[in-house]
Amino acid sequence: MIVTEGIVKVFQAEDIQTVALKNVSLEIEKGDFVAIMGPSGCGKTTLLNILGLIDNPNTGKYFLFDQDVTRLKEKQKTELRKQNIGFVFQNFNLIDELTVHENIELPLIYLGWKKKARKTRVDEVIEKMNISHRKNLFPIQLSGGQQQRVAVARAVVANPPLILADEPTGNLDSMHGEEVMNLLNDLNKEGTTIVMVSHSQRDASYSRRVVHLFDGQIINENLNKLM
């Protein structure tokens, strides 16, 4: 599903140059659950943003579904991202003025789903995430764990084959963090490919494979579970 070849990412600010990724080559199969770990500033989120078509490498190639996406125009990348990738962020990124139902519905609106089909699908996901009793509340009325459940629901509502999660339990206590990781684990068992950035060894233990980054380079990988 995902192949990167010699990815390099450099950030330039005035006369200061920062190399975020150095010659990163990685393969992720369909149905995998990969945790990317490493110290702060090692390039984890930069790599995730490139995988999510939010950022572009300076050099190297990135193949998604056997397509060289480094050659695509931004409009094409946006369409590919909308159709295939769900995002879960540390800070939830919910819209305060929208209800739980409306937040989850957003990706389907962007994809042009009809109103009746949107309601049916959102209700299905809300029920699955066990937040149906809170569907008319606003994010400020929810706990951190509940907000992240909504964020996960929003990420999966359009059935994307790939979910990218950036420190999904970073702002949660251990109990709510475990709930979110169990949700991601269940999604992976159903066939969704998950790539997760994390500092947490506990969260990484849910993955099948751990990729360790240091100073923008992959230094080793190890398996957690039998594939």
Side-chain angles (χ1 to χ4, degrees):
M1 176 180 277
I2 289 173
V3 178
T4 69
E5 297 179 353
I7 291 292
V8 173
K9 181 64 181 181
V10 179
F11 293 103
Q12 186 78 42
E14 297 180 354
D15 59 345
I16 300 174
Q17 188 179 80
T18 303
V19 180
L21 296 174
K22 306 173 187 176
N23 200 34
V24 173
S25 296
L26 179 66
E27 292 189 23
I28 298 173
E29 299 291 336
K30 180 180 178 181
D32 206 350
F33 188 161
V34 176
I36 300 174
M37 300 191 73
S40 297
C42 72
K44 301 187 301 297
T45 297
T46 299
L47 177 57
L48 201 72
N49 286 341
I50 289 174
L51 297 183
L53 305 176
I54 294 172
D55 203 352
N56 302 308
N58 293 92
T59 60
K61 292 186 177 182
Y62 172 27
F63 296 89
L64 181 62
F65 307 114
D66 298 320
Q67 183 177 14
D68 184 358
V69 296
T70 54
R71 296 177 176 271
L72 298 181
K73 296 179 179 178
E74 287 305 317
K75 186 176 181 180
Q76 294 173 304
K77 291 180 182 179
T78 298
E79 193 61 31
L80 188 63
R81 183 170 60 243
K82 285 196 304 183
Q83 297 284 348
N84 294 284
I85 304 174
F87 294 89
V88 180
F89 301 98
Q90 177 177 349
N91 295 321
F92 319 135
N93 284 15
L94 301 176
I95 298 176
D96 292 338
E97 294 78 17
L98 300 182
T99 65
V100 166
H101 189 285
E102 291 166 341
N103 266 284
I104 297 170
E105 184 184 29
L106 269 182
L108 303 183
I109 294 175
Y110 295 148
L111 289 170
W113 284 43
K114 300 294 185 181
K115 185 175 181 179
K116 185 176 180 180
R118 293 200 309 266
K119 184 181 186 305
T120 299
R121 176 57 182 161
V122 172
D123 285 344
E124 287 175 357
V125 173
I126 283 176
E127 183 69 26
K128 182 177 181 179
M129 296 292 172
N130 196 28
I131 49 176
S132 57
H133 55 303
R134 294 182 170 87
K135 67 179 182 179
N136 294 319
L137 299 182
F138 293 91
I140 196 172
Q141 298 173 287
L142 305 176
S143 69
Q146 291 163 355
Q147 288 188 57
Q148 195 61 296
R149 277 181 174 269
V150 176
V152 173
R154 181 185 57 191
V156 304
V157 69
N159 286 317
L162 174 63
I163 289 181
L164 302 179
D166 191 357
E167 300 282 3
T169 68
N171 286 333
L172 304 178
D173 60 34
S174 59
M175 182 183 74
H176 289 116
E178 186 175 355
E179 288 179 359
V180 168
M181 290 309 305
N182 283 329
L183 285 175
L184 293 177
N185 192 45
D186 289 344
L187 290 167
N188 179 246
K189 288 178 179 178
E190 294 169 4
T192 304
T193 304
I194 297 176
V195 182
M196 174 184 69
V197 160
S198 181
H199 281 101
S200 168
Q201 291 286 352
R202 184 198 64 187
D203 290 358
S205 70
Y206 285 82
S207 70
R208 301 186 186 190
R209 181 159 56 108
V210 181
V211 174
H212 295 274
L213 281 183
F214 187 78
D215 285 348
Q217 300 180 82
I218 294 176
I219 55 173
N220 62 59
E221 302 183 27
N222 58 273
L223 295 176
N224 271 341
K225 304 174 184 177
L226 294 176
M227 301 298 288

